[in-house]
Short mmCIF file of all heavy atoms in Angstrom, two decimals:
data_model
loop_
_atom_site.label_atom_id
_atom_site.label_comp_id
_atom_site.label_asym_id
_atom_site.label_seq_id
_atom_site.Cartn_x
_atom_site.Cartn_y
_atom_site.Cartn_z
N MET A 277 0.84 -1.16 0.05
CA MET A 277 0.03 -0.02 0.00
C MET A 277 0.87 1.23 -0.01
O MET A 277 1.67 1.43 0.91
CB MET A 277 -0.85 -0.05 1.25
CG MET A 277 -1.81 1.10 1.35
SD MET A 277 -2.78 0.64 2.77
CE MET A 277 -4.02 1.78 2.70
N PRO A 278 0.77 2.06 -1.02
CA PRO A 278 1.64 3.24 -1.09
C PRO A 278 1.27 4.37 -0.09
O PRO A 278 0.05 4.50 0.17
CB PRO A 278 1.51 3.73 -2.51
CG PRO A 278 0.19 3.16 -2.98
CD PRO A 278 0.00 1.95 -2.17
N ALA A 279 2.21 4.99 0.47
CA ALA A 279 1.95 6.05 1.43
C ALA A 279 1.66 7.40 0.65
O ALA A 279 2.21 7.67 -0.34
CB ALA A 279 3.14 6.31 2.33
N ARG A 280 0.68 8.14 1.20
CA ARG A 280 0.38 9.39 0.55
C ARG A 280 1.38 10.45 0.90
O ARG A 280 1.88 10.52 2.00
CB ARG A 280 -1.01 9.92 1.02
CG ARG A 280 -2.14 9.10 0.50
CD ARG A 280 -3.40 9.75 0.92
NE ARG A 280 -4.53 9.13 0.22
CZ ARG A 280 -5.70 9.66 0.10
NH1 ARG A 280 -5.99 10.77 0.73
NH2 ARG A 280 -6.71 9.08 -0.52
N THR A 281 1.68 11.27 -0.07
CA THR A 281 2.59 12.38 0.20
C THR A 281 1.74 13.68 0.33
O THR A 281 0.78 13.90 -0.44
CB THR A 281 3.64 12.51 -0.95
OG1 THR A 281 2.92 12.77 -2.11
CG2 THR A 281 4.45 11.26 -1.05
N HIS A 282 2.17 14.46 1.31
CA HIS A 282 1.41 15.73 1.54
C HIS A 282 2.11 16.85 0.78
O HIS A 282 3.39 17.04 0.94
CB HIS A 282 1.36 16.02 2.99
CG HIS A 282 0.54 14.99 3.77
ND1 HIS A 282 -0.81 15.02 3.72
CD2 HIS A 282 0.93 14.04 4.55
CE1 HIS A 282 -1.26 13.97 4.49
NE2 HIS A 282 -0.20 13.37 4.98
N THR A 283 1.40 17.60 0.00
CA THR A 283 2.02 18.75 -0.71
C THR A 283 1.71 19.97 0.15
O THR A 283 0.73 20.14 0.79
CB THR A 283 1.39 18.91 -2.09
OG1 THR A 283 0.00 19.11 -1.94
CG2 THR A 283 1.68 17.70 -2.95
N ARG A 284 2.64 20.87 0.08
CA ARG A 284 2.52 22.17 0.85
C ARG A 284 1.55 23.05 0.08
O ARG A 284 1.57 23.13 -1.11
CB ARG A 284 3.86 22.87 0.97
CG ARG A 284 4.81 22.19 1.82
CD ARG A 284 6.06 22.99 2.01
NE ARG A 284 6.96 22.30 2.92
CZ ARG A 284 8.15 22.77 3.23
NH1 ARG A 284 8.58 23.89 2.72
NH2 ARG A 284 8.87 22.10 4.08
N PRO A 285 0.69 23.84 0.81
CA PRO A 285 -0.14 24.75 0.16
C PRO A 285 0.64 25.92 -0.39
O PRO A 285 1.66 26.33 0.17
CB PRO A 285 -1.09 25.23 1.30
CG PRO A 285 -0.41 24.97 2.55
CD PRO A 285 0.53 23.75 2.28
N ARG A 286 0.17 26.46 -1.47
CA ARG A 286 0.88 27.54 -2.06
C ARG A 286 0.64 28.85 -1.28
O ARG A 286 -0.51 29.13 -0.87
CB ARG A 286 0.35 27.83 -3.51
CG ARG A 286 0.63 26.73 -4.40
CD ARG A 286 0.08 27.04 -5.80
NE ARG A 286 0.31 25.90 -6.73
CZ ARG A 286 -0.07 25.88 -7.93
NH1 ARG A 286 -0.66 26.91 -8.42
NH2 ARG A 286 0.16 24.84 -8.66
N PRO A 287 1.67 29.59 -1.07
CA PRO A 287 1.48 30.90 -0.33
C PRO A 287 0.69 31.85 -1.18
O PRO A 287 0.86 31.88 -2.45
CB PRO A 287 2.89 31.39 -0.04
CG PRO A 287 3.75 30.70 -1.02
CD PRO A 287 3.04 29.37 -1.40
N ALA A 288 -0.09 32.71 -0.51
CA ALA A 288 -0.92 33.70 -1.25
C ALA A 288 0.06 34.72 -1.90
O ALA A 288 1.05 35.19 -1.23
CB ALA A 288 -1.86 34.35 -0.32
N SER A 289 -0.22 35.03 -3.10
CA SER A 289 0.61 36.04 -3.77
C SER A 289 0.22 37.41 -3.31
O SER A 289 -0.97 37.74 -3.07
CB SER A 289 0.43 35.96 -5.30
OG SER A 289 -0.87 36.20 -5.63
N ARG A 290 1.21 38.30 -3.05
CA ARG A 290 0.91 39.65 -2.54
C ARG A 290 0.55 40.64 -3.64
O ARG A 290 -0.08 41.61 -3.37
CB ARG A 290 2.08 40.14 -1.76
CG ARG A 290 2.35 39.36 -0.50
CD ARG A 290 3.42 39.93 0.30
NE ARG A 290 3.57 39.20 1.56
CZ ARG A 290 4.00 39.70 2.66
NH1 ARG A 290 4.49 40.88 2.68
NH2 ARG A 290 4.09 38.95 3.74
N GLY A 291 0.98 40.37 -4.82
CA GLY A 291 0.80 41.39 -5.87
C GLY A 291 -0.63 41.36 -6.50
O GLY A 291 -1.14 42.36 -6.84
N GLY A 292 -1.24 40.21 -6.55
CA GLY A 292 -2.51 40.12 -7.23
C GLY A 292 -3.72 40.07 -6.36
O GLY A 292 -4.80 39.75 -6.81
N GLY A 293 -3.59 40.32 -5.06
CA GLY A 293 -4.73 40.19 -4.16
C GLY A 293 -5.71 41.36 -4.31
O GLY A 293 -5.37 42.38 -4.85
N ALA A 294 -6.88 41.21 -3.71
CA ALA A 294 -7.90 42.21 -3.80
C ALA A 294 -7.66 43.26 -2.70
O ALA A 294 -7.30 42.88 -1.58
CB ALA A 294 -9.27 41.63 -3.62
N GLU A 295 -7.74 44.49 -3.04
CA GLU A 295 -7.56 45.54 -2.03
C GLU A 295 -8.87 45.99 -1.52
O GLU A 295 -9.85 46.02 -2.22
CB GLU A 295 -6.89 46.79 -2.72
CG GLU A 295 -5.47 46.82 -2.56
CD GLU A 295 -4.88 48.13 -3.07
OE1 GLU A 295 -5.34 49.16 -2.64
OE2 GLU A 295 -3.91 48.06 -3.90
N ILE A 296 -8.93 46.23 -0.19
CA ILE A 296 -10.12 46.69 0.44
C ILE A 296 -9.97 48.21 0.61
O ILE A 296 -9.04 48.64 1.32
CB ILE A 296 -10.35 46.01 1.74
CG1 ILE A 296 -10.57 44.50 1.52
CG2 ILE A 296 -11.58 46.61 2.48
CD1 ILE A 296 -10.72 43.72 2.82
N ARG A 297 -10.88 48.99 0.05
CA ARG A 297 -10.77 50.43 0.18
C ARG A 297 -12.09 50.91 0.86
O ARG A 297 -13.17 50.57 0.42
CB ARG A 297 -10.63 51.13 -1.12
CG ARG A 297 -9.29 50.72 -1.73
CD ARG A 297 -9.05 51.57 -2.94
NE ARG A 297 -8.98 52.99 -2.54
CZ ARG A 297 -8.89 53.99 -3.39
NH1 ARG A 297 -8.67 53.74 -4.60
NH2 ARG A 297 -8.89 55.24 -2.92
N LEU A 298 -12.00 51.69 1.89
CA LEU A 298 -13.16 52.18 2.60
C LEU A 298 -13.54 53.55 2.02
O LEU A 298 -12.69 54.28 1.63
CB LEU A 298 -12.87 52.39 4.14
CG LEU A 298 -12.55 51.09 4.91
CD1 LEU A 298 -12.12 51.49 6.31
CD2 LEU A 298 -13.75 50.20 4.92
N PRO A 299 -14.79 53.80 2.02
CA PRO A 299 -15.23 55.18 1.56
C PRO A 299 -14.78 56.17 2.62
O PRO A 299 -14.56 55.85 3.73
CB PRO A 299 -16.72 55.02 1.47
CG PRO A 299 -17.17 53.84 2.23
CD PRO A 299 -15.97 52.95 2.27
N TRP A 300 -14.83 57.44 2.22
CA TRP A 300 -14.35 58.53 3.16
C TRP A 300 -15.20 58.59 4.35
O TRP A 300 -14.69 58.91 5.45
CB TRP A 300 -14.30 59.87 2.38
CG TRP A 300 -15.68 60.34 1.95
CD1 TRP A 300 -16.28 60.09 0.81
CD2 TRP A 300 -16.61 61.11 2.78
NE1 TRP A 300 -17.55 60.65 0.78
CE2 TRP A 300 -17.73 61.30 1.97
CE3 TRP A 300 -16.58 61.61 4.04
CZ2 TRP A 300 -18.85 62.00 2.44
CZ3 TRP A 300 -17.63 62.37 4.50
CH2 TRP A 300 -18.76 62.49 3.69
N TRP A 301 -16.48 58.31 4.28
CA TRP A 301 -17.34 58.48 5.42
C TRP A 301 -17.15 57.35 6.45
O TRP A 301 -17.66 57.48 7.58
CB TRP A 301 -18.81 58.63 5.01
CG TRP A 301 -19.26 57.56 4.06
CD1 TRP A 301 -19.33 57.70 2.74
CD2 TRP A 301 -19.75 56.32 4.35
NE1 TRP A 301 -19.81 56.52 2.17
CE2 TRP A 301 -20.07 55.66 3.18
CE3 TRP A 301 -19.93 55.64 5.62
CZ2 TRP A 301 -20.59 54.36 3.09
CZ3 TRP A 301 -20.43 54.34 5.52
CH2 TRP A 301 -20.73 53.70 4.31
N ALA A 302 -16.61 56.26 6.09
CA ALA A 302 -16.39 55.18 6.97
C ALA A 302 -15.46 55.57 8.08
O ALA A 302 -15.46 54.98 9.13
CB ALA A 302 -15.88 53.93 6.22
N LEU A 303 -14.58 56.44 7.86
CA LEU A 303 -13.66 56.99 8.86
C LEU A 303 -14.21 58.29 9.46
O LEU A 303 -14.06 58.56 10.66
CB LEU A 303 -12.27 57.22 8.31
CG LEU A 303 -11.23 57.71 9.29
CD1 LEU A 303 -11.00 56.69 10.38
CD2 LEU A 303 -9.94 58.01 8.54
N ALA A 304 -14.87 59.09 8.63
CA ALA A 304 -15.32 60.41 9.12
C ALA A 304 -16.48 60.34 10.09
O ALA A 304 -16.50 61.10 11.09
CB ALA A 304 -15.80 61.24 7.91
N LEU A 305 -17.36 59.39 9.97
CA LEU A 305 -18.57 59.28 10.86
C LEU A 305 -18.14 58.85 12.30
O LEU A 305 -18.52 59.52 13.24
CB LEU A 305 -19.60 58.35 10.30
CG LEU A 305 -20.34 58.90 9.11
CD1 LEU A 305 -21.37 57.85 8.65
CD2 LEU A 305 -21.00 60.18 9.48
N PRO A 306 -17.24 57.86 12.50
CA PRO A 306 -16.85 57.56 13.85
C PRO A 306 -16.00 58.72 14.49
O PRO A 306 -16.11 58.97 15.65
CB PRO A 306 -15.96 56.27 13.66
CG PRO A 306 -16.43 55.69 12.43
CD PRO A 306 -16.86 56.83 11.55
N VAL A 307 -15.22 59.40 13.64
CA VAL A 307 -14.40 60.52 14.20
C VAL A 307 -15.36 61.64 14.63
O VAL A 307 -15.21 62.23 15.70
CB VAL A 307 -13.39 60.98 13.14
CG1 VAL A 307 -12.79 62.33 13.59
CG2 VAL A 307 -12.32 59.93 12.97
N LEU A 308 -16.36 61.95 13.82
CA LEU A 308 -17.33 62.97 14.19
C LEU A 308 -18.13 62.59 15.42
O LEU A 308 -18.35 63.43 16.29
CB LEU A 308 -18.32 63.20 12.98
CG LEU A 308 -19.37 64.21 13.18
CD1 LEU A 308 -18.77 65.59 13.32
CD2 LEU A 308 -20.38 64.14 12.04
N ALA A 309 -18.53 61.36 15.55
CA ALA A 309 -19.28 60.89 16.74
C ALA A 309 -18.39 61.00 17.98
O ALA A 309 -18.75 61.46 19.05
CB ALA A 309 -19.74 59.43 16.58
N PHE A 310 -17.11 60.65 17.85
CA PHE A 310 -16.19 60.66 19.02
C PHE A 310 -15.98 62.12 19.42
O PHE A 310 -16.02 62.47 20.62
CB PHE A 310 -14.86 59.99 18.58
CG PHE A 310 -13.83 60.18 19.67
CD1 PHE A 310 -13.86 59.31 20.78
CD2 PHE A 310 -12.81 61.08 19.57
CE1 PHE A 310 -12.91 59.46 21.82
CE2 PHE A 310 -11.86 61.24 20.57
CZ PHE A 310 -11.92 60.43 21.69
N VAL A 311 -15.71 63.04 18.49
CA VAL A 311 -15.53 64.41 18.79
C VAL A 311 -16.77 65.07 19.42
O VAL A 311 -16.69 65.75 20.42
CB VAL A 311 -15.10 65.25 17.53
CG1 VAL A 311 -15.11 66.71 17.78
CG2 VAL A 311 -13.73 64.79 17.13
N THR A 312 -17.94 64.71 18.93
CA THR A 312 -19.18 65.26 19.51
C THR A 312 -19.35 64.78 20.92
O THR A 312 -19.69 65.58 21.85
CB THR A 312 -20.39 64.77 18.66
OG1 THR A 312 -20.18 65.19 17.29
CG2 THR A 312 -21.71 65.34 19.20
N LEU A 313 -19.15 63.49 21.14
CA LEU A 313 -19.29 62.94 22.52
C LEU A 313 -18.19 63.56 23.44
O LEU A 313 -18.45 63.87 24.64
CB LEU A 313 -19.20 61.46 22.54
CG LEU A 313 -20.41 60.73 21.92
CD1 LEU A 313 -20.15 59.25 21.86
CD2 LEU A 313 -21.64 61.05 22.69
N LEU A 314 -17.02 63.77 22.96
CA LEU A 314 -15.98 64.32 23.74
C LEU A 314 -16.32 65.77 24.12
O LEU A 314 -16.09 66.23 25.27
CB LEU A 314 -14.66 64.37 22.97
CG LEU A 314 -13.42 64.85 23.73
CD1 LEU A 314 -13.09 63.98 24.91
CD2 LEU A 314 -12.20 64.91 22.80
N LEU A 315 -16.87 66.52 23.19
CA LEU A 315 -17.27 67.95 23.53
C LEU A 315 -18.43 67.92 24.52
O LEU A 315 -18.50 68.83 25.37
CB LEU A 315 -17.71 68.60 22.27
CG LEU A 315 -16.55 68.98 21.29
CD1 LEU A 315 -17.10 69.62 20.00
CD2 LEU A 315 -15.53 69.90 21.94
N LEU A 316 -19.32 66.96 24.43
CA LEU A 316 -20.47 66.90 25.40
C LEU A 316 -19.91 66.61 26.86
O LEU A 316 -20.43 67.06 27.83
CB LEU A 316 -21.47 65.93 25.01
CG LEU A 316 -22.36 66.33 23.83
CD1 LEU A 316 -23.29 65.18 23.49
CD2 LEU A 316 -23.20 67.56 24.19
N ILE A 317 -18.92 65.77 26.88
CA ILE A 317 -18.27 65.41 28.18
C ILE A 317 -17.58 66.60 28.73
O ILE A 317 -17.62 66.90 29.95
CB ILE A 317 -17.36 64.20 28.05
CG1 ILE A 317 -18.13 62.95 27.75
CG2 ILE A 317 -16.49 64.02 29.28
CD1 ILE A 317 -17.30 61.80 27.37
N LEU A 318 -16.89 67.36 27.87
CA LEU A 318 -16.07 68.50 28.39
C LEU A 318 -16.97 69.65 28.86
O LEU A 318 -16.67 70.41 29.79
CB LEU A 318 -15.12 68.96 27.30
CG LEU A 318 -14.04 68.00 26.96
CD1 LEU A 318 -13.17 68.56 25.76
CD2 LEU A 318 -13.17 67.72 28.12
N ASP A 319 -18.16 69.83 28.21
CA ASP A 319 -19.08 70.91 28.54
C ASP A 319 -20.47 70.38 28.64
O ASP A 319 -21.22 70.55 27.74
CB ASP A 319 -18.94 72.08 27.55
CG ASP A 319 -19.63 73.27 28.00
OD1 ASP A 319 -19.98 73.39 29.17
OD2 ASP A 319 -19.82 74.23 27.19
N PRO A 320 -20.83 69.78 29.75
CA PRO A 320 -22.15 69.08 29.81
C PRO A 320 -23.32 70.15 29.92
O PRO A 320 -24.45 69.72 29.70
CB PRO A 320 -22.10 68.31 31.15
CG PRO A 320 -20.96 68.87 31.91
CD PRO A 320 -20.05 69.51 30.93
N SER A 321 -23.07 71.35 30.06
CA SER A 321 -24.18 72.34 30.05
C SER A 321 -24.76 72.47 28.67
O SER A 321 -25.91 72.92 28.46
CB SER A 321 -23.69 73.69 30.56
OG SER A 321 -22.71 74.26 29.65
N ASP A 322 -23.97 72.15 27.58
CA ASP A 322 -24.52 72.24 26.22
C ASP A 322 -25.18 70.95 25.81
O ASP A 322 -25.67 70.84 24.66
CB ASP A 322 -23.35 72.48 25.25
CG ASP A 322 -22.76 73.87 25.40
OD1 ASP A 322 -23.50 74.74 25.87
OD2 ASP A 322 -21.64 74.08 24.95
N ALA A 323 -25.33 69.98 26.72
CA ALA A 323 -25.96 68.69 26.35
C ALA A 323 -27.47 68.72 26.35
O ALA A 323 -28.10 67.76 25.94
CB ALA A 323 -25.46 67.66 27.32
N HIS A 324 -28.13 69.76 26.80
CA HIS A 324 -29.59 69.82 26.79
C HIS A 324 -30.10 70.22 25.46
O HIS A 324 -29.44 70.87 24.65
CB HIS A 324 -30.08 70.76 27.87
CG HIS A 324 -29.59 72.23 27.66
ND1 HIS A 324 -30.20 73.10 26.82
CD2 HIS A 324 -28.55 72.90 28.19
CE1 HIS A 324 -29.57 74.21 26.79
NE2 HIS A 324 -28.53 74.14 27.59
N ALA A 325 -31.36 69.84 25.20
CA ALA A 325 -32.03 70.23 23.93
C ALA A 325 -32.41 71.68 24.02
O ALA A 325 -32.75 72.20 25.02
CB ALA A 325 -33.19 69.34 23.69
N ALA A 326 -32.35 72.34 22.89
CA ALA A 326 -32.79 73.82 22.84
C ALA A 326 -34.26 73.95 23.00
O ALA A 326 -35.01 73.11 22.43
CB ALA A 326 -32.29 74.36 21.47
N PRO A 327 -34.71 74.92 23.78
CA PRO A 327 -36.15 75.08 24.01
C PRO A 327 -36.91 75.57 22.76
O PRO A 327 -38.12 75.39 22.67
CB PRO A 327 -36.22 76.16 25.10
CG PRO A 327 -34.87 76.81 25.12
CD PRO A 327 -33.90 75.80 24.58
N ALA A 328 -36.15 76.13 21.80
CA ALA A 328 -36.82 76.57 20.58
C ALA A 328 -37.13 75.43 19.61
O ALA A 328 -37.83 75.56 18.62
CB ALA A 328 -35.95 77.53 19.83
N GLU A 329 -36.65 74.21 19.93
CA GLU A 329 -36.90 73.05 19.11
C GLU A 329 -37.71 72.02 19.85
O GLU A 329 -37.26 71.06 20.37
CB GLU A 329 -35.58 72.38 18.77
CG GLU A 329 -34.63 73.29 17.95
CD GLU A 329 -35.01 73.53 16.55
OE1 GLU A 329 -35.81 72.64 16.03
OE2 GLU A 329 -34.67 74.52 15.98
N PRO A 330 -39.06 72.22 20.03
CA PRO A 330 -39.91 71.31 20.80
C PRO A 330 -40.00 69.97 20.13
O PRO A 330 -40.16 68.94 20.89
CB PRO A 330 -41.27 72.00 20.91
CG PRO A 330 -41.30 72.97 19.76
CD PRO A 330 -39.87 73.36 19.53
N SER A 331 -39.89 69.84 18.87
CA SER A 331 -40.04 68.51 18.21
C SER A 331 -38.80 67.70 18.54
O SER A 331 -38.92 66.48 18.70
CB SER A 331 -40.21 68.70 16.69
OG SER A 331 -39.10 69.37 16.12
N ILE A 332 -37.63 68.29 18.60
CA ILE A 332 -36.45 67.48 18.88
C ILE A 332 -36.50 67.09 20.31
O ILE A 332 -36.16 65.95 20.68
CB ILE A 332 -35.21 68.38 18.56
CG1 ILE A 332 -35.04 68.54 17.11
CG2 ILE A 332 -33.95 67.67 19.16
CD1 ILE A 332 -33.85 69.45 16.72
N THR A 333 -36.99 67.95 21.19
CA THR A 333 -37.11 67.62 22.59
C THR A 333 -38.03 66.46 22.77
O THR A 333 -37.85 65.53 23.56
CB THR A 333 -37.52 68.82 23.45
OG1 THR A 333 -36.67 69.96 23.17
CG2 THR A 333 -37.61 68.59 24.91
N HIS A 334 -39.19 66.56 22.09
CA HIS A 334 -40.18 65.53 22.19
C HIS A 334 -39.62 64.16 21.68
O HIS A 334 -39.88 63.11 22.25
CB HIS A 334 -41.47 65.88 21.40
CG HIS A 334 -42.50 64.86 21.41
ND1 HIS A 334 -43.19 64.54 22.54
CD2 HIS A 334 -42.99 64.05 20.43
CE1 HIS A 334 -44.06 63.55 22.21
NE2 HIS A 334 -43.95 63.27 20.98
N LEU A 335 -38.88 64.26 20.50
CA LEU A 335 -38.29 63.06 19.99
C LEU A 335 -37.28 62.42 20.95
O LEU A 335 -37.27 61.21 21.19
CB LEU A 335 -37.57 63.35 18.67
CG LEU A 335 -36.86 62.17 18.00
CD1 LEU A 335 -37.89 61.10 17.56
CD2 LEU A 335 -36.07 62.68 16.83
N LEU A 336 -36.41 63.21 21.56
CA LEU A 336 -35.44 62.71 22.48
C LEU A 336 -36.07 62.10 23.75
O LEU A 336 -35.65 61.05 24.27
CB LEU A 336 -34.47 63.82 22.88
CG LEU A 336 -33.48 64.25 21.83
CD1 LEU A 336 -32.64 65.42 22.24
CD2 LEU A 336 -32.64 63.17 21.34
N GLU A 337 -37.16 62.72 24.19
CA GLU A 337 -37.91 62.25 25.37
C GLU A 337 -38.55 60.88 24.97
O GLU A 337 -38.56 59.97 25.80
CB GLU A 337 -38.97 63.27 25.80
CG GLU A 337 -39.64 62.90 27.06
CD GLU A 337 -38.74 62.91 28.26
OE1 GLU A 337 -37.75 63.65 28.30
OE2 GLU A 337 -38.97 62.13 29.21
N ARG A 338 -39.07 60.76 23.82
CA ARG A 338 -39.66 59.50 23.33
C ARG A 338 -38.69 58.42 23.23
O ARG A 338 -38.93 57.30 23.67
CB ARG A 338 -40.31 59.74 22.01
CG ARG A 338 -40.98 58.60 21.41
CD ARG A 338 -42.42 58.51 21.82
NE ARG A 338 -43.07 57.50 21.02
CZ ARG A 338 -44.11 56.87 21.40
NH1 ARG A 338 -44.69 57.15 22.53
NH2 ARG A 338 -44.66 55.92 20.62
N VAL A 339 -37.49 58.74 22.76
CA VAL A 339 -36.45 57.71 22.63
C VAL A 339 -36.01 57.26 24.02
O VAL A 339 -35.80 56.12 24.28
CB VAL A 339 -35.23 58.30 21.84
CG1 VAL A 339 -34.03 57.39 21.91
CG2 VAL A 339 -35.64 58.43 20.37
N ARG A 340 -35.87 58.23 24.93
CA ARG A 340 -35.50 57.91 26.32
C ARG A 340 -36.51 57.00 26.99
O ARG A 340 -36.13 56.04 27.64
CB ARG A 340 -35.27 59.19 27.13
CG ARG A 340 -34.66 58.94 28.47
CD ARG A 340 -34.56 60.16 29.30
NE ARG A 340 -35.81 60.79 29.61
CZ ARG A 340 -36.57 60.42 30.66
NH1 ARG A 340 -36.26 59.43 31.40
NH2 ARG A 340 -37.72 61.07 30.88
N THR A 341 -37.76 57.26 26.82
CA THR A 341 -38.80 56.41 27.45
C THR A 341 -38.84 55.01 26.81
O THR A 341 -39.05 53.99 27.50
CB THR A 341 -40.15 57.07 27.35
OG1 THR A 341 -40.48 57.34 26.01
CG2 THR A 341 -40.24 58.30 28.16
N LEU A 342 -38.64 54.93 25.50
CA LEU A 342 -38.60 53.64 24.84
C LEU A 342 -37.41 52.76 25.27
O LEU A 342 -37.51 51.56 25.42
CB LEU A 342 -38.61 53.80 23.32
CG LEU A 342 -39.93 54.25 22.73
CD1 LEU A 342 -39.81 54.55 21.23
CD2 LEU A 342 -41.05 53.26 22.98
N THR A 343 -36.28 53.43 25.47
CA THR A 343 -35.07 52.69 25.87
C THR A 343 -35.08 52.34 27.31
O THR A 343 -34.36 51.40 27.79
CB THR A 343 -33.75 53.43 25.55
OG1 THR A 343 -33.86 54.72 26.14
CG2 THR A 343 -33.60 53.62 24.02
N ALA A 344 -35.91 52.98 28.13
CA ALA A 344 -35.97 52.79 29.58
C ALA A 344 -36.76 51.52 29.84
O ALA A 344 -36.70 51.00 30.98
CB ALA A 344 -36.57 54.00 30.29
N ARG A 345 -37.58 51.08 28.92
CA ARG A 345 -38.46 49.90 29.16
C ARG A 345 -37.71 48.61 29.29
O ARG A 345 -36.73 48.27 28.87
CB ARG A 345 -39.48 49.76 28.03
CG ARG A 345 -40.49 50.86 28.02
CD ARG A 345 -41.53 50.60 27.02
NE ARG A 345 -42.46 51.72 27.00
CZ ARG A 345 -43.38 51.82 26.13
NH1 ARG A 345 -43.60 50.83 25.28
NH2 ARG A 345 -44.25 52.80 26.15
#
């Protein structure tokens, strides 16, 4: 009975591989969110909703009550 010989797998070529490119907003959105949260932490007095925008205040209150359940 002949013994099987194991062949080595071929290494992946570096020149012909597919490149992954992210769109510009894939980096910009997390950076923007981080900077916004950092500014809110540094100055928490600006974290309240503006009284001239009752719809935004109502929306934020609704989101808070839904997440509190």
